[in-house]
């Protein structure tokens, strides 16, 4: 049914068949078991992976971020269909958080009381969390340089305006480029697809009366989904992305409850894929600073930064030093920050840039 046609356009491997579909998700938790997409499906890298509302132990969400290359201005937006927020009366929520350019944090959540509508075709995806005033629209990931617009007209949380991302690096799954029938799991019950590993971001928002603008910033978009709680399946993870010189990099280094490390590496240069892989030690991420241990016992607030070493094969290593700059969001077992990065292929030119990164440490609660 999903026969795969490979095209080679400016070095990107593309799967050229879209799933045309319309989907409505009602604002009520699903009672019973849910089904989620497992292997990748052509044309659906960024589409809904669950065709029902979430039950209390499943999730499907779309994450976006954008940040300035020079100030503390940073923003995260997540569109959820999730059972993980037990306190929410329905699974459909939009959360927005970040830091103003003076470093002060903000956050808000609004529930989609009227459901969610997805529309997908050859031109891409559009999604509306009805009743929130928040939508996103993305052009086809099977064409080069896709663009996304996240739009708010959400008086309930005081947010109006938009975030625009213009992709600078090809989409991918955990271990592969955007090809059908590939693995999408990071760990059992935790899937990942990275539609926009790196973007040029433009943000024009008003947040509770304050103008929030980012021009020529860095942006990113991915999604996770799964048929078990995201809070209890991974013990620990280090995730992040950075733009430095011609390079776009993404690291995802997770620890499961058997204390086995699973790592996922992505490096692109000038918009072309250099490596995407999940071999042992594909990327090794370690906290740096006083008392830094692995697995960590303290989060982003304690550590000074991290190192991420990507194995490019053939003896080449892309090594990155990250130094923490601004904590964007902190829930103790879960925090995000901006950091400055220096790095490059060891023995070659070194570049500087900026990263958004995250430490997830729910293992401290459940381990
Ligand atoms: C969920 O389904 C079960 C079995 O059909 C039923 O007994 C129960 O009342 C339902 N719960 C809700 C909240 O609808
Ligand atoms: C939700 O669906 C998953 C996957 O089918 C199932 O394992 C789980 O038991 C369901 N949870 C609830 C609360 O019904
Ligand atoms: C930073 O800016 C925000 C938004 O304008 C404002 O509410 C807050 O008071 C400012 N914080 C400081 C420390 O100036
Ligand atoms: C705006 O302010 C309201 C009232 O204090 C708050 O509930 C909401 O979360 C704020 N919005 C954001 C995006 O911080
Ligand atoms: C490092 O560990 C020592 C000994 O446990 C402790 O006294 C100190 O406060 C820790 N430092 C930080 C920055 O956590
Ligand atoms: C990273 O930090 C280490 C330790 O300070 C240093 O030896 C190395 O040269 C740094 N690498 C880069 C690319 O800055």
């Amino acid at each position: 049914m999903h026969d795969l046609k490979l095209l080679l356009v400016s070095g990107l491997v593309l799967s050229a068949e879209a799933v045309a579909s319309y989907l409505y998700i009602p604002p009520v938790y699903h009672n019973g078991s849910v089904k989620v997409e497992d292997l990748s499906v052509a044309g659906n890298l960024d589409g809904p992976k669950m065709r029902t509302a979430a039950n209390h132990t499943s999730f499907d969400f779309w994450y976006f971020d954008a940040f300035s290359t020079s100030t503390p201005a940073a923003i995260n937006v997540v569109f959820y269909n999730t059972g993980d927020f037990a306190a929410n009366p329905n699974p459909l929520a939009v959360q927005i958080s970040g830091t103003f350019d003076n470093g002060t944090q903000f956050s808000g959540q609004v529930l989609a009381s009227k459901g969610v509508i997805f529309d997908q075709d050859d031109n891409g995806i559009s999604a509306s969390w009805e009743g929130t005033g928040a939508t996103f629209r993305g052009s086809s990931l099977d064409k080069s340089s896709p663009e996304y617009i996240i739009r708010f007209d959400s008086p309930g949380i005081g947010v109006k305006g938009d975030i625009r991302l213009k992709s600078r690096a090809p989409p991918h799954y955990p271990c592969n480029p955007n090809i059908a029938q590939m693995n999408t799991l990071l760990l059992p019950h935790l899937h990942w697809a990275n539609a926009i590993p790196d973007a040029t971001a433009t943000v024009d928002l008003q947040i509770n009366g304050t103008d929030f603008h980012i021009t020529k910033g860095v942006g990113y978009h991915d999604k996770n989904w799964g048929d078990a709680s995201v809070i209890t399946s991974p013990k620990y993870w280090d995730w992040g992305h950075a733009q430095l010189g011609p390079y776009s990099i993404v690291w995802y280094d997770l620890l499961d409850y058997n204390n086995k490390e699973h790592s996922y590496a992505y490096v692109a240069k000038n918009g072309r894929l250099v490596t995407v892989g999940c071999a042992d030690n594909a990327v090794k991420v370690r906290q740096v600073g006083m008392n830094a241990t692995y697995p960590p016992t303290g989060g982003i607030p304690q550590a000074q930064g991290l190192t991420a070493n990507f194995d490019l094969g053939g003896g080449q290593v892309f090594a990155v030093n990250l130094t923490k700059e601004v904590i964007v969001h902190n829930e103790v077992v879960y925090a995000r920050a901006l950091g400055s990065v220096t790095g490059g292929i060891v023995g070659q030119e070194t570049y500087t840039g900026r990263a958004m990164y995250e430490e997830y440490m729910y293992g401290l609660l459940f381990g």
Side-chain angles (χ1 to χ4, degrees):
M1 195 172 94
H2 300 291
D3 88 300
L4 179 70
K5 297 162 206 150
L6 289 179
L7 292 179
L8 220 56
V9 178
S10 66
L12 313 185
V13 181
L14 306 172
S15 56
E17 184 191 327
V19 179
S21 66
Y22 171 92
L23 176 66
Y24 173 74
I25 307 232
V28 253
Y29 290 106
H30 186 73
N31 184 13
S33 42
V34 297
K35 271 230 262 307
V36 300
E37 190 174 292
D38 182 14
L39 296 178
S40 62
V41 170
N44 201 46
L45 186 141
D46 204 36
K49 308 299 188 181
M50 196 167 16
R51 304 202 57 93
T52 61
N55 69 12
H56 277 288
T57 54
S58 60
F59 61 96
D60 193 12
F61 63 74
W62 288 256
Y63 167 94
F64 298 86
D65 70 43
F67 56 88
S68 161
T69 57
S70 55
T71 77
I75 189 160
N76 303 107
V77 180
V78 192
F79 291 80
Y80 288 100
N81 173 16
T82 183
D84 272 324
F85 304 136
N88 282 354
N90 87 56
L92 310 174
V94 181
Q95 291 184 349
I96 177 168
S97 61
T99 37
F100 291 109
D101 59 9
N102 65 8
T104 297
Q105 295 176 7
F106 58 83
S107 71
Q109 171 180 271
V110 58
L111 290 163
S113 55
K114 297 181 181 153
V116 171
I117 293 170
F118 294 98
D119 226 328
Q120 278 177 285
D121 61 23
D122 286 343
N123 297 317
I125 182 168
S126 72
S128 174
W129 263 243
E130 297 283 292
T132 68
T135 61
F136 70 83
R137 169 183 288 276
S139 65
S140 171
L141 298 173
D142 293 324
K143 295 175 183 144
S144 59
S145 304
E147 291 189 48
Y148 272 66
I149 302 178
I150 304 102
R151 191 157 276 157
F152 290 93
D153 189 355
S154 309
I157 44 167
V159 183
K160 189 170 167 63
D162 58 41
I163 299 172
R164 288 162 187 268
L165 305 182
K166 189 167 171 51
S167 183
R168 305 176 77 235
H172 67 103
Y173 289 106
C175 313
N176 305 93
N178 182 12
I179 299 175
Q181 296 294 309
M182 295 295 132
N183 168 60
T184 59
L185 286 167
L186 296 165
L187 293 178
H189 309 292
L190 173 61
H191 302 257
W192 185 46
N194 188 186
I196 305 205
D198 188 21
T200 302
T202 308
V203 181
D204 291 295
L205 289 173
Q206 274 236 323
I207 300 176
N208 278 333
T210 295
D211 282 330
F212 183 97
H213 296 294
I214 295 173
T215 44
K216 292 196 180 143
V218 178
Y220 173 95
H221 163 47
D222 70 7
K223 74 188 298 345
N224 290 103
W225 69 99
D227 53 6
S229 166
V230 72
I231 290 173
T232 51
S233 52
K235 187 171 182 181
Y236 174 75
W237 79 50
D238 262 301
W239 162 88
H241 69 96
Q243 191 180 99
L244 62 171
Y247 288 100
S248 305
I249 62 176
V250 183
W251 60 89
Y252 214 145
D253 188 341
L254 308 94
L255 195 67
D256 66 23
Y257 277 96
N258 299 318
N259 290 321
K260 181 169 166 31
E261 196 171 353
H262 304 256
S263 69
Y264 301 86
Y266 176 89
V267 178
K269 184 180 185 186
N270 290 320
R272 287 162 187 258
L273 191 61
V274 172
T275 193
V276 55
C278 56
D280 283 350
N281 295 320
V283 57
K284 193 164 185 174
V285 182
R286 292 293 181 263
Q287 302 295 311
V288 171
M290 283 164 84
N291 300 345
T293 55
Y294 190 83
T297 51
I300 280 178
Q302 287 78 37
Q304 287 160 17
L306 55 80
T307 58
N309 290 315
F310 294 78
D311 182 357
L312 301 185
Q316 283 194 325
V317 174
F318 193 96
V320 175
N321 290 342
L322 181 154
T323 306
K324 179 177 65 184
E325 293 183 325
V326 182
I327 295 179
V328 175
H329 196 67
N330 185 11
E331 295 176 20
V332 188
V333 287
Y334 178 72
R336 274 185 211 136
L338 294 178
S340 61
V341 290
T342 62
I345 295 174
V346 174
Q348 299 184 19
E349 192 173 345
T350 295
Y351 299 92
T352 60
R354 217 173 201 197
M356 171 83 82
Y357 67 109
E358 176 176 287
E359 256 196 345
Y360 171 108
M361 333 207 304
Y362 277 90
L364 293 180
L365 300 181
F366 302 110

